[in-house]
Amino acid sequence: MSIPGLGQIPAETVTSATRTIRLNPAWEWRFEVPPGGTLTLKVLSGTAEKDGVELAQRSAYSFAGIKSKILTWHGCELEVEGRCDDDFTAEYTNPIANPATSYLNLHARLVEMRIAAARERREGPRVLIAGPSTTGKTTLARTLTSYATRQGYQPLMVNTDPDEGMLSFPGTLSAAVFATIIDPEAVTGWGSTPTSGPSTVPVKLPLVYYYGRKSSEEDPDFYRELVSRLAGTVSGRLSDDEAVKSSGLIVDTMPISEKGGIGLDLIAHMVDELSINIIVVLGSTRLNAELTKRFAEEKTSLGEPISVLMLDKSEGVVERGEHFLQHSREAVIKEYFFGDARRSLSPQIQQVDFDSLTIYKPSDYSSYGDDTLVREEPSSLMQHWTLAVMHASLRDSPETLRVANVMGFVYVADVDEERRKMKILAPVPGRLGDRPLIMGKWPEPFINLLG
């Protein structure tokens, strides 16, 4: 186009956001998609995986608000559409140079143990992954779980890090049997939280306990109690199901300091309660030495020695800032009630009288120094909080309620103190007054789901 006196006006150049990336064997493509952004990826040729989940050729995978990587063992060609905050290709001269090879070798060793366990009708490997913050513990747990399911095993996955929920909200401890593939597109990487909507990837049904705090060290006694409860249920499932029993379990843990302290004591409690026989330490020689020394002479409840194995952390592990983590927590809560880009849900909105609700919260103090539950009158302070619906009776004592498992969650959309009514969002219809609710101390409300 030309304008008199100005001459030819050049057309604006539009840069295509679609590009092709070629990876040689054992290379990784690492990428960061910002909150609110979306990236679409296809495997055009070859084979590729994300956290152990093999990606199908020519299928479009969408990722939003994520920091992750695509690994290929045999080479591949990727088509990527969208923009990243940062991305690059990690090149290795041979597969041995990539730390992911040691994860594959660990999986092969676990398979040998599972085969022997099935033959001898005993429990398979019980693996606990420990390490400081930002060492890739959760990624390794997902990878080992994915590799196991791809070979037909049914490992029981346990999450004891309240900062990041597994198939549940943050602030919880959970466990679930993984007999089918993990959803690679899920916000948390584990899959969708159980809701009323259909899913292309089979939904896992986790056992969930409500801790309601960010760190295990905020209330270590209560944390130990929940771990013991979780361990009891896990042991029951291992005893009742032969396929799960021989597949064993994998435990993802909270970050612990290299200087030891209470974190080491909590890890020791898990090892004892869950009869752990393999401890994998990621990225810390000091922590490896501490745990090796601590468990050198100990045996599991089944009389097995406890092995401590150190692995290098992946070079692709990156720090996730608080803003990024907050967005991830928000995305999990939104998905639970409203679904995601692949499926939309229609949550139920209920107007509930104050008098019909039974709500508890952790007490701010106790004469004995222990954190207990106290009955809480509904108020505007609860607005925008998520409350846990407990699998318990209204007649149960606070001591019983605090260690009951979770049925689901509801969201307090609005509170009218004058009319003594509360507007509550629930994923499915049902009487809320029939079950006790618990309001934790974390995560604090930071979103308004209804706008």
Side-chain angles (χ1 to χ4, degrees):
M1 178 181 71
S2 68
I3 299 178
L6 294 179
Q8 188 74 22
I9 303 297
E12 182 179 353
T13 301
V14 179
T15 304
S16 172
T18 302
R19 53 197 168 114
T20 300
I21 299 171
R22 293 176 176 82
L23 301 179
N24 289 345
W27 286 13
E28 296 176 353
W29 181 62
R30 302 169 184 166
F31 62 100
E32 299 180 17
V33 183
T38 302
L39 180 140
T40 302
L41 180 145
K42 291 181 181 179
V43 180
L44 300 180
S45 63
T47 60
E49 63 183 51
K50 176 183 177 291
D51 297 345
V53 179
E54 186 171 1
L55 304 181
Q57 281 193 14
R58 301 289 174 176
S59 294
Y61 296 90
S62 295
F63 303 106
I66 190 174
K67 298 183 180 184
S68 190
K69 67 179 184 297
I70 304 298
L71 166 67
T72 177
W73 290 111
H74 306 288
C76 69
E77 186 176 65
L78 307 176
E79 180 183 270
V80 177
E81 182 178 356
R83 301 192 182 281
C84 306
D85 270 357
D86 186 29
D87 75 286
F88 72 101
T89 299
E91 303 178 1
Y92 294 93
T93 55
N94 57 69
I96 302 299
N98 190 333
T101 299
S102 62
Y103 306 163
L104 194 61
N105 291 337
L106 173 60
H107 164 68
R109 173 57 182 148
L110 297 181
V111 168
E112 292 176 358
M113 297 176 71
R114 290 173 181 134
I115 293 172
R119 183 176 61 248
E120 300 168 14
R121 302 180 67 85
R122 57 179 173 81
E123 290 191 10
R126 283 93 59 207
V127 183
L128 180 143
I129 303 171
S133 178
T134 320
T135 52
K137 297 184 296 298
T138 302
T139 298
L140 176 58
R142 276 199 300 266
T143 301
L144 293 177
T145 303
S146 298
Y147 284 162
T149 58
R150 283 168 61 177
Q151 292 194 256
Y153 294 105
Q154 301 181 31
L156 207 163
M157 179 63 213
V158 178
N159 174 58
T160 62
D161 183 5
D163 193 20
E164 294 188 61
M166 180 197 74
L167 301 175
S168 180
F169 283 12
T172 62
L173 310 184
S174 58
V177 172
F178 281 78
T180 56
I181 65 170
I182 297 175
D183 185 357
E185 298 176 280
V187 174
T188 62
W190 287 110
S192 304
T193 52
T195 57
S196 58
S199 174
T200 54
V201 176
V203 173
K204 284 72 178 173
L205 299 177
L207 173 72
V208 178
Y209 287 93
Y210 191 58
Y211 180 60
R213 296 152 183 80
K214 181 177 183 179
S215 168
S216 58
E217 298 185 11
E218 290 183 38
D219 190 348
D221 291 336
F222 181 38
Y223 181 85
R224 286 189 185 93
E225 188 174 4
L226 288 185
V227 168
S228 297
R229 286 274 177 168
L230 190 62
T233 307
V234 164
S235 298
R237 182 61 189 272
L238 290 174
S239 300
D240 295 340
D241 192 319
E242 288 294 331
V244 177
K245 180 179 180 179
S246 60
S247 297
L249 61 88
I250 299 169
V251 184
D252 185 21
T253 64
M254 69 291 180
I256 57 176
S257 171
E258 291 187 281
K259 297 180 181 179
I262 194 171
L264 280 177
D265 292 336
L266 294 177
I267 291 292
H269 179 70
M270 292 180 214
V271 170
D272 181 54
E273 291 290 304
L274 292 163
S275 296
I276 298 298
N277 60 354
I278 299 177
I279 301 174
V280 178
V281 181
L282 278 180
S284 173
T285 54
R286 180 171 179 175
L287 186 59
N288 179 67
E290 289 283 346
L291 291 172
T292 299
K293 179 181 178 181
R294 186 157 190 160
F295 295 103
E297 304 298 328
E298 293 194 26
K299 294 183 181 296
T300 70
S301 58
L302 301 176
E304 304 159 304
I306 301 173
S307 302
V308 180
L309 171 67
M310 180 177 169
L311 298 179
D312 292 333
K313 74 173 186 178
S314 169
E315 298 171 355
V317 175
V318 294
E319 185 76 35
R320 295 175 299 169
E322 181 55 35
H323 173 72
F324 187 91
L325 292 174
Q326 180 175 310
H327 175 83
S328 297
R329 293 194 293 268
E330 177 182 332
V332 169
I333 295 173
K334 284 182 176 179
E335 180 188 80
Y336 181 78
F337 291 102
F338 295 101
D340 54 24
R342 295 170 290 171
R343 55 174 183 163
S344 59
L345 305 178
S346 299
Q348 304 292 311
I349 299 178
Q350 302 183 30
Q351 289 279 1
V352 187
D353 293 330
F354 281 8
D355 296 335
S356 67
L357 296 175
T358 303
I359 302 176
Y360 289 86
K361 78 168 191 175
S363 63
D364 295 326
Y365 60 91
S366 171
S367 58
Y368 297 99
D370 296 326
D371 210 354
T372 59
L373 291 179
V374 294
R375 183 79 179 265
E376 184 75 5
E377 176 72 10
S379 70
S380 58
L381 295 177
M382 297 181 181
Q383 189 162 314
H384 301 158
W385 280 84
T386 53
L387 310 179
V389 184
M390 307 305 292
H391 200 290
S393 167
L394 297 177
R395 298 184 297 274
D396 287 332
S397 67
E399 290 72 22
T400 301
L401 293 180
R402 69 200 297 263
V403 293
N405 58 297
V406 176
M407 292 183 64
F409 296 90
V410 295
Y411 172 80
V412 181
D414 188 50
V415 178
D416 189 335
E417 292 186 342
E418 184 176 338
R419 296 174 57 222
R420 292 183 58 79
K421 287 187 178 294
M422 183 178 285
K423 183 189 291 185
I424 290 183
L425 199 65
V428 294
R431 286 175 52 86
L432 292 176
D434 293 342
R435 299 285 180 175
L437 310 175
I438 294 183
M439 172 183 172
K441 295 185 175 182
W442 185 86
E444 296 178 351
F446 45 79
I447 57 172
N448 183 354
L449 287 181
L450 298 184

